[in-house]
Amino acid sequence: MKSSRVQRLKKAEKLTADGWSEKNGMKDFEPSEIIVEAGSEGSPLYRNLRKAFPDVPFTVVNQTDAHGPAPFASQDPFGDGKTRLVLTRHKGDFLKKCPGSDGQLCCNYFVVNFASNCPMDCSYCYLQEYLGQNPALKVFSNVGDLIEETDRLLSRHRRFLFRIGTGEITDSLALDPYIGFSSEVVPFFAEQPNALLELKTKSDRIEGLLGLDSKERVVVSWSMNPQKVIDADEPLTASFEERLTAARHCQEAGYKLGFHFDPIVEYPGWEVDYREMVERIFAAVDHRRIAWLSMGVLRNTLGLKRIMRERFPSTRVLSGEQVLCADGKMRYFQPLRVSMYRKMLGWIREASPTVFVYLCMESKEVWRQVFGFAPTCEKELGNRLVAYE
Ligand code: SF4
């Protein structure tokens, strides 16, 4: 039977009340149905899904169109799209340059999309607008093509060090225990002399990573927020403690770590919560194993705000004043952003004077005010990032 988003959120609340080990709603992710495009049955991901979900109905269809199966006739097609999983071949290129944002400094990052949409449901998630017409939760079965394409790119440019991430239009790890994607790609990246793979997540589903030898070519990174923000605006994600424990386990298993303080949300008393968050992270992990930290304040568009009001009417993240920036995104007023970044940077520097920190989707002007310098171009920022590897 199809479980609606509301049912899933209720389930997550119930689990939260039950205790630490079951706190993460993602531990109970179970799609109502799995739709398989004919031809995907030979994929290791299909076999893994079969094993993970023996009681879920699988329907093989001859062709899924670009938008996946017909959307649910529901008041919340985006939320309900997350409850049905589609396994299909990816047509076209897997790899692309991170689109960044007009006029903002970009960190020269490549993204590889192995899936689309995410089983978690953050109130501010830009996918609600970006995938609004295409909300099906999709996983791409042709991982072999993804690896071949990446191999071709890396082999052609051996003198360039690539940073490649998988968390642009999905969470890198939330589905991993069910599809086993990491066990397909980590061994490949472990052998690449000129690439770092970043797996970015708000889950704690690292079990598939722990037995693999990444040979220091894989960075596992967490988007971090104080528990107050997680409780209010990041439904179905892992708690702060769970993310931190997972990070520690990954560090022990030989992975490099990353942390993204993004989105930083301003509210009365935010300084106390964010300072404590930074201190707890640095007390728990070895700062010398952190490849990079990023900071970015909450940003959205007018369209996303409209969707958030409908889907999350009680969210408080819409209450702060925001201004329209040159790239069409709304952010806090620049002096407030600069002040927030400086405070965050100060707390980070108290814990680690050397860890590499960068800003996500901010202008050179903001960079200068926060760090006293701005990279001259995207290439320089990319080089600074990989210089830390
Ligand atoms: S974890 Fe990331 S991709 Fe998933 S809902 Fe939250 S913001 Fe969106």
Side-chain angles (χ1 to χ4, degrees), residues 82 118 120-122 125 127 171 202:
K82 291 167 177 276
C118 167
M120 299 179 278
D121 205 6
C122 303
C125 180
L127 298 180
D171 182 278
K202 284 195 183 90

Side-chain angles (χ1 to χ4, degrees), residues 199-218:
L199 300 171
K200 198 189 286 187
T201 190
K202 284 195 183 90
S203 81
D204 64 348
R205 305 312 307 263
I206 56 162
E207 49 267 56
L209 296 176
L210 298 182
L212 304 171
D213 182 2
S214 68
K215 300 187 182 159
E216 307 233 322
R217 309 312 294 173
V218 179

Side-chain angles (χ1 to χ4, degrees), residues 135-168:
L137 177 56
K138 283 188 246 179
V139 174
F140 302 119
S141 57
N142 45 333
V143 185
D145 294 341
L146 181 158
I147 290 175
E148 268 177 37
E149 188 187 323
T150 310
D151 193 33
R152 276 198 303 275
L153 179 76
L154 300 183
S155 309
R156 266 204 315 270
H157 304 281
R158 279 292 179 217
R159 293 172 65 186
F160 185 84
L161 186 50
F162 290 84
R163 290 169 67 230
I164 300 176
T166 61
E168 188 206 12

Side-chain angles (χ1 to χ4, degrees), residues 81-228:
K82 291 167 177 276
T83 64
R84 183 166 58 178
L85 200 144
V86 179
L87 184 67
T88 182
R89 286 179 64 78
H90 181 73
K91 290 105 189 164
D93 294 340
F94 276 99
L95 266 163
K96 62 182 177 127
K97 182 119 186 305
C98 176
S101 206
D102 282 352
Q104 316 301 311
L105 262 175
C106 162
C107 54
N108 228 359
Y109 192 73
F110 284 75
V111 288
V112 61
N113 293 322
F114 73 95
S116 174
N117 208 341
C118 167
M120 299 179 278
D121 205 6
C122 303
S123 69
Y124 52 76
C125 180
Y126 88 105
L127 298 180
Q128 296 171 97
E129 185 181 32
Y130 189 72
L131 297 177
Q133 302 304 312
N134 187 10
L137 177 56
K138 283 188 246 179
V139 174
F140 302 119
S141 57
N142 45 333
V143 185
D145 294 341
L146 181 158
I147 290 175
E148 268 177 37
E149 188 187 323
T150 310
D151 193 33
R152 276 198 303 275
L153 179 76
L154 300 183
S155 309
R156 266 204 315 270
H157 304 281
R158 279 292 179 217
R159 293 172 65 186
F160 185 84
L161 186 50
F162 290 84
R163 290 169 67 230
I164 300 176
T166 61
E168 188 206 12
I169 56 168
T170 190
D171 182 278
S172 297
L173 292 175
L175 293 172
D176 204 54
Y178 316 109
I179 61 175
F181 175 72
S182 64
S183 62
E184 301 295 318
V185 292
V186 169
F188 166 75
F189 277 92
E191 300 305 327
Q192 303 309 311
N194 61 330
L196 283 177
L197 172 70
E198 181 177 27
L199 300 171
K200 198 189 286 187
T201 190
K202 284 195 183 90
S203 81
D204 64 348
R205 305 312 307 263
I206 56 162
E207 49 267 56
L209 296 176
L210 298 182
L212 304 171
D213 182 2
S214 68
K215 300 187 182 159
E216 307 233 322
R217 309 312 294 173
V218 179
V219 178
V220 191
S221 67
W222 276 266
S223 301
M224 285 299 213
N225 253 318
Q227 190 59 46
K228 204 180 278 177

Side-chain angles (χ1 to χ4, degrees), residues 300-309 318 320 322 330:
N300 44 45
T301 62
L302 289 172
L304 178 57
K305 278 190 163 193
R306 209 168 30 245
I307 296 168
M308 288 169 70
R309 276 195 200 96
L318 288 173
Q322 290 183 310
M330 307 193 70

